[in-house]
Each structure stands twice: as C-alpha cells, then as structure tokens.
Amino acid sequence: MANLNDIAVFVKVAQFESFSRAAHAIGMPVSTVSRKVSELEAQLGVTLLQRTTRKLTLTSQGRDYFNQCNEPLNLLFDAERVLTQTQKIPEGLLKISVPVILGQEPFLEFISGFLKNYPRIKIDLFITNLFLDLIAENIDVGIRFGELKDSTLIAKKLGSQVRYVVASPEYLKGRKPPIKPEDLQLHQCVLLNGKNNESEWELVNGRKHTKIQVSGPISSRDFQSISTFVYRGHGIGFLPSTYCDDKIKKGELRRLLPDWTSKQFDIWAVYPTRNFLPSRLHVFLEALKAWKSPLWILP
C-alpha cells in the first residue's frame, strides 16, 4: 500500500499544479515534495504527473487517482482536526464514578457549578459503592476513599480525612460521657452504613488500636444526614473533622475521647492513563483538586 503522506503530498501538488507552491503550503523543501511524488509513482508503477519546464499537468491516470484520493483525505484530515480540537477544547461526555457518600448536596453543587463553567461538557455520573472497572466500563475518572487496590490506574491525591467521636450538648445532658472507647457500647450512636442498626468503629491512639461494636437508633449512608442527627442529639457520631471543627469551636458539639480518632483515609481521583488526557478530564481534575470538599482536608 502506498505511503499516506506521499499520497497527501501528491494531492497537494495536483491541487496547486506546482511543486513549489505545494511545497510552500506544506512547509517542505521543493526537492522533498518532488522526491515523494516520484516515490509514489514508482510504487504504483504509473506516471501521475506530466512534467515540462513550463507546466505541470496530471496524466489521465493521475487525474483518476487524484479524484479517488482527494475526498477520503479530506475526511481523514477533518477527523484528525475534530479529534485534536476535542483534546484542546473542554467538550464531550465525561463519565464519573463516585461512592454513595458523595451523592449528596455539596458534591452535586460542585458538579452543577462545573457544568455551568463548561457548558460543552456532558456528565454521566455513576453513584455506587461498587468498585467499577474503569477501563471495562469506559469510565473517565473515579473518586475513591482509602487504600487503592488497582495499581494500573493513575492516582491523584485530593485530600485526607480523619474522624472524631462527637456528641451534642443536648445528647450529653444527664449522661456520663465515655472515658474509654469501650464506654461507647453504653451509648446510642448514629451510624454510617450500619447493619441492623449496628456498626464497628475502628479507633486509633498513636500505636494503640481498637475496634468497638456500637449500636443506635438510626443509620444512614452519607455524612450529611448523619451529622444532622448528631447535631440534633440523637446519639454519638463518628464524623469527619471537616463536619465538626467549627461546631466544636462554637460549643455546638463536644469532642469525646479526644486522644482517639479514626485512622487517616486518603481520597483519590483515579483514571486509566496519564497520556493525552482529553481537555474535559484535565479541567475536571483541576476543578476537583481546588474544590473545598466537606469530606476531606486539602493536601
């Protein structure tokens, strides 16, 4: 099969009916343009151009070949131009996978603001606690909490999270606050992803580590609702520091077992490749990196 670049050079020469003008348009030396056309003729075994000192004309075979090649080349160049433009201009479909805990108002507001800033981008949002195979599902980017298991993905750290044991003054009124982690079993707790209104809290204090089985009147899948029930006195909560720091300062929440926290969780944006990132993914990653999420502390 003939070299596609040689065909493109021939088509340009045929359009201009001149080696020099074609060379100028392509940005090649005239000698290179002439050589490529000669190599194409040799490979095809036909004369495409009739050369004289005064004029350059297509042979009948050259005219037929030009007519067959010109339109497909234009379509190919158009496809390349569209693809290159898509890489440079933020547009097109962006498929995003996030855990259920992000399917709440702050993140949805972030997505809404992003779409308003980039109206040519469309988003397909998967809210699930399943670890979807990003490559198999053709997903552009996922947000994941904790340890990453898939080493084939590119990971960009968004922040980290640590949780505190807290309760409202209303709940603590008339109750003895816990002094050690085991005391939590004597209290009502507001749970994240509890089963049968029970859950296990993992607490660390330096090198000390313990797991406590707790129970309570209500369980939910997101911190927004859990924090609301903790604020309203329904039990002790195990909340991200970003959800309770301000309220602790204002006296609206009290931190319990202050020497104990959760272990630190890192939050990641993961995507299949770092090469030739589409512009729509690049701008999303930059916006995500700058977003002040209530679920994590910026690195």
Side-chain angles (χ1 to χ4, degrees):
M1 181 177 176
N3 184 289
L4 188 60
N5 289 326
D6 291 350
I7 298 173
V9 169
F10 160 71
V11 167
K12 193 62 70 175
V13 171
Q15 288 172 338
F16 283 103
E17 296 183 341
S18 165
F19 282 120
S20 58
R21 283 190 289 169
H24 179 73
I26 299 170
M28 279 185 185
V30 175
S31 59
T32 302
V33 170
S34 178
R35 176 174 53 80
K36 283 184 173 292
V37 172
S38 295
E39 288 174 352
L40 179 63
E41 289 177 319
Q43 187 167 4
L44 295 174
V46 298
T47 301
L48 300 172
L49 295 168
Q50 192 67 49
R51 304 158 176 86
T52 68
T53 55
R54 304 176 67 179
K55 194 173 181 182
L56 187 69
T57 57
L58 287 165
T59 64
S60 60
Q61 289 172 307
R63 173 64 60 186
D64 290 340
Y65 193 63
F66 170 79
N67 290 336
Q68 290 295 321
C69 293
N70 187 38
E71 187 60 26
L73 273 178
N74 286 335
L75 292 174
L76 184 61
F77 291 145
D78 285 344
E80 184 176 316
R81 188 161 47 249
V82 168
L83 188 60
T84 303
Q85 187 178 42
T86 301
Q87 286 292 98
K88 294 179 179 178
I89 299 175
E91 63 181 2
L93 180 64
L94 190 62
K95 298 177 76 172
I96 304 167
S97 170
V98 301
V100 170
I101 205 165
L102 276 176
Q104 49 188 289
E105 189 173 350
F107 181 70
L108 300 181
E109 284 184 357
F110 163 75
I111 292 294
S112 174
F114 177 80
L115 287 171
K116 289 177 181 177
N117 288 333
Y118 297 98
R120 297 177 70 172
I121 293 178
K122 296 179 176 61
I123 286 180
D124 191 358
L125 186 61
F126 297 77
I127 301 178
T128 175
N129 284 334
L130 297 175
F131 279 73
L132 299 178
D133 185 327
L134 301 191
I135 296 173
E137 299 289 341
N138 198 28
I139 293 172
D140 296 289
V141 60
I143 298 177
R144 294 184 177 171
F145 285 63
E147 185 179 351
L148 297 176
K149 297 179 181 179
D150 192 341
S151 61
T152 64
L153 297 174
I154 307 302
K156 179 178 288 189
K157 186 176 177 180
L158 298 174
S160 58
Q161 179 194 99
V162 66
R163 302 177 196 173
Y164 298 156
V165 179
V166 295
S168 68
E170 180 182 351
Y171 173 79
L172 292 172
K173 189 175 181 179
R175 290 184 172 94
K176 183 179 178 182
I179 298 173
K180 55 186 185 296
E182 292 76 13
D183 294 341
L184 291 169
Q185 295 175 322
L186 306 175
H187 284 268
Q188 300 274 46
C189 296
V190 181
L191 312 175
L192 177 70
N193 294 328
K195 293 183 179 179
N196 298 320
N197 287 81
E198 293 185 354
S199 185
E200 185 178 75
W201 288 359
E202 187 175 351
L203 298 164
V204 295
N205 177 4
R207 294 186 178 182
K208 296 179 183 178
H209 179 278
T210 187
K211 293 181 180 180
I212 303 297
Q213 199 73 20
V214 295
S215 61
I218 189 164
S219 172
S220 182
R221 291 186 172 227
D222 67 89
F223 283 120
Q224 194 74 23
S225 56
I226 287 175
S227 61
T228 297
F229 288 113
V230 173
Y231 300 158
R232 295 184 180 182
H234 291 276
I236 294 175
F238 200 24
L239 297 180
S241 60
T242 47
Y243 272 83
C244 50
D245 280 339
D246 287 342
K247 290 191 176 291
I248 291 172
K249 290 177 183 177
K250 294 176 182 177
E252 297 173 6
L253 282 180
R254 179 176 163 188
R255 186 174 173 188
L256 310 173
L257 305 173
D259 293 331
W260 295 85
T261 67
S262 69
K263 64 181 181 180
Q264 180 174 299
F265 296 89
D266 290 329
I267 296 90
W268 307 88
V270 294
Y271 46 98
T273 179
R274 73 169 77 248
N275 296 324
F276 309 116
L277 281 186
S279 182
R280 60 183 177 273
L281 177 55
H282 176 73
V283 296
F284 179 77
L285 291 172
E286 289 301 308
L288 193 58
K289 184 179 177 181
W291 178 47
K292 293 182 179 179
S293 168
L295 281 173
W296 57 77
I297 301 167
L298 295 176

